[in-house]
């Protein structure tokens, strides 16, 4: 749990069919969004945003801007952060430099095109980009298709609750810290499991990953989706 | 109206983590995708393992690789070219037995499955996946027994319709039985209904009972 709220949540904005908004601790103003087509010189940062939250809410708001306003400045920031990580992931997975570069660009382009598919009540932006990069890896390096479960997505006019969005972003933060605090050997094992093409089957048992709370959060998000889809 | 069956036999964490990490063979991925379509408990767990991948990616400063200087411009050009050919997804109608990932592999609905008899009324249809592991649909007539068989590798069997019972318990729609080389079992289909299962394995099955070796080779079980 966070000691002080980093975001103030306005219950009036909770209803569905509203875009989710961020408000900073030091202002009650909601963010102004530019009209479609207008590109900001630099993506606006929600006020009160601190680096200590791992920028997760910032990335979420960037995804909204990309989805709703084709905001190239927000995309550029996302790109700066994630593209080199995706490229590194692909190199670790066996791609050479030029293939990894090409795939990382494709992964980031997919983030733009599929921005409407990102559900911030179920995943962090990092998680979502990881899944796109992983699928690209399977497609390009293993030349296989990857079967995906039946989609569970919000309808075109529905949005997840802002409270759920913040909860899952916080859980991601907690999970990230927990991984960082694992003993070195275990952390390396997890890195290998995800970054190498490594089929070791006992990793899940050995690592003692604290997945209980994030799992129940995701489960809740799935239940709400199922309910909304009825 | 039958009550929705509560899934009792789930996938294991190592399988779900492998699915998230992208290290399973295609046939296993198909099993996971089919099960997650029916089981939100495992879907939430799989997405938790996705979250681990996201955190590993996010924190991997030391593993990141510099992009070329014009990479953002190149990506914007890619974006301007429009969405990449998202896999030719044929939109099929819902099927009460086959979840979507399986419909993609049979190219339609249950009616489109290319069954081959393998004896005793049992039918199978091998699904096209990469080598390393195989996936097939099995049809077992109500009340019939599958030949007693052991395993050299890992075999996962998920019920899609009907139910079966074996030494490990009762398995209905969505339940997965995971068998390794230790388990010798004789699944018997529930008497009330024909049973349809998805079975995947990373090694050929070894039959001891009814099917002679020659049939086994012929049937590619």
């Amino acid at each position: 749990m966070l000691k002080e709220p980093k975001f103030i949540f306005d219950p009036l904005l909770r209803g569905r069919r509203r875009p989710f908004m961020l408000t900073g601790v030091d202002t009650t103003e909601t963010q102004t969004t530019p009209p479609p087509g207008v590109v900001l010189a630099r993506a606006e940062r929600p006020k009160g945003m601190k680096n200590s939250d791992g920028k997760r809410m910032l990335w979420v708001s960037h995804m909204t801007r990309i989805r709703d306003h084709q905001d190239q400045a927000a995309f550029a920031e996302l790109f700066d952060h994630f593209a080199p990580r995706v490229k590194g992931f692909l190199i670790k997975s066996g791609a050479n430099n030029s293939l990894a570069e090409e795939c990382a660009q494709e992964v980031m382009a997919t983030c733009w095109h599929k921005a409407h598919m990102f559900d911030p009540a179920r995943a962090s932006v990092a998680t979502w980009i990881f899944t796109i990069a992983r699928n690209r890896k399977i497609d390009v390096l293993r030349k296989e298709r990857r079967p995906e479960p039946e989609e569970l997505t919000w309808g075109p006019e529905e949005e997840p609750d802002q409270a759920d969005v913040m909860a899952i972003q916080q859980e991601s933060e907690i999970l990230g810290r927990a991984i960082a605090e694992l003993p070195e050997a275990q952390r390396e094992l997890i890195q290998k499991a995800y970054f190498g093409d490594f089929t070791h089957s006992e990793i899940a048992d050995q690592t003692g990953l604290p997945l209980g709370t994030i799992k129940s959060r995701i489960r809740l998000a799935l239940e709400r989706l199922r309910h909304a889809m009825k | 109206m039958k009550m929705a069956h509560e899934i009792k036999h789930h996938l294991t964490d190592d399988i779900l983590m492998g699915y998230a990490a992208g290290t399973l063979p295609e046939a296993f991925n198909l099993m996971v995708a089919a099960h997650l379509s029916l089981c939100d408990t495992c879907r939430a767990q799989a997405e938790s393992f996705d979250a681990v991948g996201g955190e590993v990616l996010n924190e991997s400063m030391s593993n990141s690789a510099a992009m070329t200087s014009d990479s953002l411009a190149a990506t914007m050009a890619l974006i301007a070219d429009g969405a990449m050919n998202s896999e030719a997804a044929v939109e099929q109608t819902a099927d009460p037995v086959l979840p979507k990932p399986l419909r993609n592999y049979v190219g339609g609905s249950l009616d489109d499955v290319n069954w081959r008899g393998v004896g005793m009324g049992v039918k199978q249809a091998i699904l096209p996946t990469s080598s390393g592991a195989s996936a097939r649909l099995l049809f077992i007539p109500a009340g019939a027994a599958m030949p007693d068989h052991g395993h050299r590798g890992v075999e996962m069997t998920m019920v899609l319709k009907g139910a079966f019972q074996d030494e490990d318990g009762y398995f209905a729609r969505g339940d997965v039985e995971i068998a390794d080389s230790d388990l010798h079992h004789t699944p018997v289909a529930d008497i009330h209904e024909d049973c349809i299962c998805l079975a995947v394995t990373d090694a050929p099955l070894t039959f001891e009972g009814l099917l002679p070796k020659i049939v086994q080779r012929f049937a590619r079980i």
Side-chain angles (χ1 to χ4, degrees), chain A residues 198-209:
Chain A
F198 187 57
T199 51
H200 206 273
S201 62
E202 283 97 35
I203 290 174
D205 299 334
Q206 288 176 7
T207 52
L209 283 166

Side-chain angles (χ1 to χ4, degrees), chain B residues 29-49:
Chain B
N29 281 340
L30 179 59
M31 169 60 78
V32 177
H35 180 73
L36 299 193
S37 299
L38 302 177
C39 178
D40 279 354
T41 301
C42 287
R43 192 193 281 246
Q45 185 72 344
E47 291 185 10
S48 304
F49 282 119

Side-chain angles (χ1 to χ4, degrees), chain A residues 4-226:
Chain A
E4 50 177 327
K6 290 211 169 62
F7 304 97
I8 287 176
F9 169 64
D10 181 352
L12 293 176
L13 296 175
R14 282 196 74 162
R16 299 211 188 283
R17 299 179 180 276
R18 279 171 200 274
F20 47 87
M21 297 183 182
L22 295 172
T23 54
V25 281
D26 50 355
T27 174
T28 50
E29 266 179 20
T30 54
Q31 259 182 280
T32 52
T33 46
V38 170
V39 176
L40 298 174
R42 180 175 163 278
E44 269 178 39
R45 198 171 295 269
K47 288 177 183 145
M49 188 71 70
K50 294 191 185 110
N51 271 340
S52 60
D53 63 22
K55 290 189 169 182
R56 284 167 179 79
M57 289 302 283
L58 175 70
W59 300 136
V60 168
S61 74
H62 278 25
M63 286 305 302
T64 312
R65 287 164 173 279
I66 292 166
R67 182 193 67 184
D68 293 345
H69 306 294
Q70 295 78 52
D71 186 330
Q72 296 192 16
F75 181 76
E77 284 191 21
L78 208 65
F79 188 94
D80 280 351
H81 182 78
F82 286 107
R85 288 169 165 79
V86 169
K87 184 175 177 181
F89 164 71
L90 292 163
I91 289 172
K92 282 264 170 187
S93 304
N96 65 29
N97 193 63
S98 67
L99 181 62
E101 169 81 27
E102 186 188 323
C103 288
Q105 289 181 15
E106 286 164 358
V107 167
M108 296 312 294
T110 302
C111 291
W112 177 286
H113 290 304
K114 293 197 171 169
H116 61 285
M117 304 280 290
F118 170 60
D119 182 350
R122 256 163 87 193
S124 69
V125 174
T127 296
W128 187 63
I129 292 178
F130 164 73
T131 62
I132 295 171
R134 171 202 63 203
N135 293 358
R136 199 79 194 115
K137 173 188 94 173
I138 292 171
D139 188 12
V140 172
L141 295 182
R142 300 225 320 241
K143 310 216 185 303
E144 285 180 8
R145 49 176 174 162
R146 174 181 159 101
E148 294 280 346
E150 270 174 37
E151 296 98 1
L152 279 177
T153 53
W154 296 95
E157 298 197 346
E158 293 197 274
E159 295 274 0
D161 271 10
Q162 176 74 356
D164 294 341
V165 172
M166 283 196 293
I168 200 79
Q169 301 306 317
Q170 280 178 9
E171 287 301 339
S172 306
E173 174 72 22
I174 292 164
L175 176 63
R177 273 206 304 269
I179 293 171
E181 284 162 10
L182 284 175
E184 175 102 28
Q186 282 184 9
R187 213 171 52 243
E188 265 178 26
L189 207 55
I190 293 174
Q191 279 246 346
K192 271 191 201 141
Y194 283 86
F195 270 38
D197 214 5
F198 187 57
T199 51
H200 206 273
S201 62
E202 283 97 35
I203 290 174
D205 299 334
Q206 288 176 7
T207 52
L209 283 166
L211 291 183
T213 47
I214 197 163
K215 181 190 172 184
S216 49
R217 276 281 158 205
I218 295 171
R219 183 67 209 265
L220 196 67
L222 293 175
E223 278 168 22
R224 294 197 179 162
L225 264 175
R226 293 253 184 231

Side-chain angles (χ1 to χ4, degrees), chain B residues 4-25:
Chain B
H5 166 71
E6 189 197 335
I7 295 172
K8 293 195 187 69
H9 302 272
H10 296 275
L11 290 172
T12 54
D13 273 357
D14 56 332
I15 295 284
L16 292 172
M17 191 184 195
Y19 183 70
T23 51
L24 300 180

